[in-house]
Amino acid sequence: MAFTRVKPDGWAVNEELTSATANALDIDHALAVDKTGDVITGNVHVGATGRITVDDTSKIVVLDGGTVEFQDGSLANFLTGASAVWGANSFLTVQAGGIATINNSALILGGTTTFAVGGSVDTDFNGVVDFNAAVDFDSTVTFDGATTFGANMT
């Protein structure tokens, strides 16, 4: 919402505040977002140069059933030093036709981790894949091309 002046030309000294002007002020202020925990029932638009800043130790919380949705062409950008953390019983799901890309970075699975893939998977590794622990395959795995194994694989 945009605030507009109820008296654009300004006020004269000792000028009377009419009920119409007071009502216009009341309506504007009733629609305002303040710092006390408002419930927003409409859209809030952040323009091209605007942003929402969250201070250190503050949070944006999405409650059970809520969604953060990125529309076509949008981007979630984690800059240097930023993290995305999935807690216990949380999931990262890439839907059919979706792509998860990790460029010049690392995918680190620590502890006892299950990396589950359903259905058929076609994977292109355009570099080195390094396993620093045992790798167990519970079904048939086919390697096309040169494959080198330097440790035990079961």
Side-chain angles (χ1 to χ4, degrees):
M1 82 150 289
F3 285 109
T4 57
R5 296 188 63 180
V6 295
K7 191 149 172 67
D9 295 331
W11 296 85
V13 176
N14 296 322
E15 184 175 356
E16 183 178 306
L17 174 64
T18 66
S19 61
T21 305
N23 285 335
L25 286 170
D26 189 38
I27 290 168
D28 264 2
H29 285 78
L31 297 175
V33 176
D34 63 24
K35 298 181 274 184
T36 62
D38 286 339
V39 174
I40 300 170
T41 58
N43 291 328
V44 174
H45 176 83
V46 178
T49 59
R51 67 181 189 185
I52 296 173
T53 302
V54 179
D55 287 336
D56 188 26
T57 71
S58 297
K59 299 178 188 179
I60 295 175
V61 177
V62 179
L63 299 178
D64 187 15
T67 301
V68 175
E69 182 175 85
F70 295 90
Q71 298 290 318
D72 186 29
S74 62
L75 175 68
N77 191 8
F78 293 85
L79 300 179
T80 301
S83 299
V85 178
W86 282 264
N89 298 316
S90 296
F91 299 94
L92 169 62
T93 302
V94 179
Q95 299 285 340
I99 299 172
T101 303
I102 301 171
N103 286 328
N104 300 319
S105 297
L107 172 61
I108 300 171
L109 306 173
T112 303
T113 302
T114 301
F115 189 76
V117 178
S120 178
V121 176
D122 183 11
T123 305
D124 294 326
F125 293 107
N126 297 316
V128 175
V129 178
D130 190 4
F131 296 100
N132 293 318
V135 179
D136 294 326
F137 295 100
D138 293 331
S139 62
T140 302
V141 177
T142 303
F143 296 94
D144 297 324
T147 307
T148 304
F149 299 100
N152 293 332
M153 294 185 71
T154 58

